[in-house]
Amino acid sequence: FLTVIFYYTARDVANMAQWLELTEPELAIELNTRLLAGIGKGVSDGQVQQALAVWQRIAARLADFHNRYDVILTPTVATPPLASDALDPNILERWLMRGLLATGLADKLFCNRLLDAIITKAVQQTPFTPLANITGQPAMSVPLYCCDNGLPHGAQFMSAEGNDRLLLQLAAQLDALCQGDFNSRASA
C-alpha cells in the first residue's frame, strides 16, 4: 500500500511544483507530505508496478467475496480513538524529517529499517482502511459509539465496487437508529 502512496506522492508533488512554477521546497505543503514525496523518489517504476499487481489480485479476491456477502464490517482503527493531533510528529521526529529532506537522504529510507518502524506504527493503528483504498471499493466510516472521553469509535463498512448506493442506504438506516439512541440517552 505505502509503496504506491510514496511513489504517487512524489509524482504529485513534482507535478504541483511544475504547475505552480515553484521548486518543491517552495511549495506550501506539510512536512509529512514532503517526507512521503522524498521517500517516494526512492521507489522504482518496477516496484510500483509490482505493488499495483498485488492490488489487482486483492481486488479480484474481494470481488469474489462480494459475490456471497454484500458488506464487510471492520473497525475503522485498531486502537481506541486518538485525539486529532495524536499522530503529529514530535519535535525530534520533525527535526529528523527536516534533516532527511535537507540532506537529500529521504529517498534512501524506502528500503530502511527506520521506514519499517514507521510503517509498522501506521499499520498497527489503521490495518483495515487501506483495503478499500487498494481495491477501489466504496467504504464509509461511521461513528457508532463514543467512549468515556467523548471520542467516537468508527465502524468501517465496505461494499462491492460500484455499490455505493448500498452504503448510503445503510448509512441512512444507521443514522436513524443512532439518532433515536442518542435522543433517548440525552433525555435520561
Side-chain angles (χ1 to χ4, degrees):
F1 175 69
L2 288 175
T3 299
V4 175
I5 298 300
F6 294 144
Y7 181 88
Y8 285 106
T9 301
R11 183 204 63 185
D12 292 348
V13 167
N15 286 342
M16 187 184 327
Q18 182 181 1
W19 294 330
L20 296 173
E21 297 179 356
L22 298 170
T23 64
E24 288 184 28
E26 293 174 319
L27 291 172
I29 58 176
E30 292 180 331
L31 182 58
N32 290 348
T33 303
R34 284 188 195 286
L35 185 64
L36 290 177
I39 294 168
K41 291 176 183 178
V43 178
S44 71
D45 291 342
Q47 288 169 314
V48 79
Q49 291 308 315
Q50 190 176 29
L52 289 171
V54 171
W55 285 29
Q56 290 172 343
R57 288 194 303 273
I58 293 169
R61 290 188 71 188
L62 276 176
D64 289 342
F65 177 89
H66 280 295
N67 287 329
R68 293 187 318 254
Y69 302 100
D70 293 329
V71 175
I72 298 171
L73 168 63
T74 70
T76 301
V77 295
T79 64
L82 301 172
S84 62
D85 62 349
L87 297 177
D88 289 350
N90 62 38
I91 292 171
L92 179 60
E93 290 168 331
R94 286 194 304 269
W95 178 82
L96 180 60
M97 293 165 77
R98 286 187 184 107
L100 289 166
L101 290 164
T103 60
L105 294 175
D107 64 330
K108 306 296 186 256
L109 276 181
F110 185 67
C111 296
N112 185 293
R113 288 181 189 227
L114 176 61
L115 183 60
D116 290 344
I118 294 168
I119 291 170
T120 298
K121 181 179 176 183
V123 169
Q124 287 173 344
Q125 175 67 23
T126 57
F128 307 107
T129 54
L131 187 58
N133 298 103
I134 288 170
T135 61
Q137 291 180 261
M140 66 179 182
S141 175
V142 181
L144 292 180
Y145 175 78
C146 285
C147 55
D148 291 340
N149 64 4
L151 294 174
H153 283 272
Q156 177 184 239
F157 297 88
M158 292 183 285
S159 64
E161 187 175 348
N163 209 358
D164 304 62
R165 181 183 201 109
L166 176 64
L167 290 183
L168 293 172
Q169 291 169 335
L170 179 57
Q173 291 173 358
L174 290 170
D175 184 55
L177 287 171
C178 289
Q179 288 301 325
D181 184 43
F182 287 128
N183 290 337
S184 66
R185 277 193 254 162
S187 63

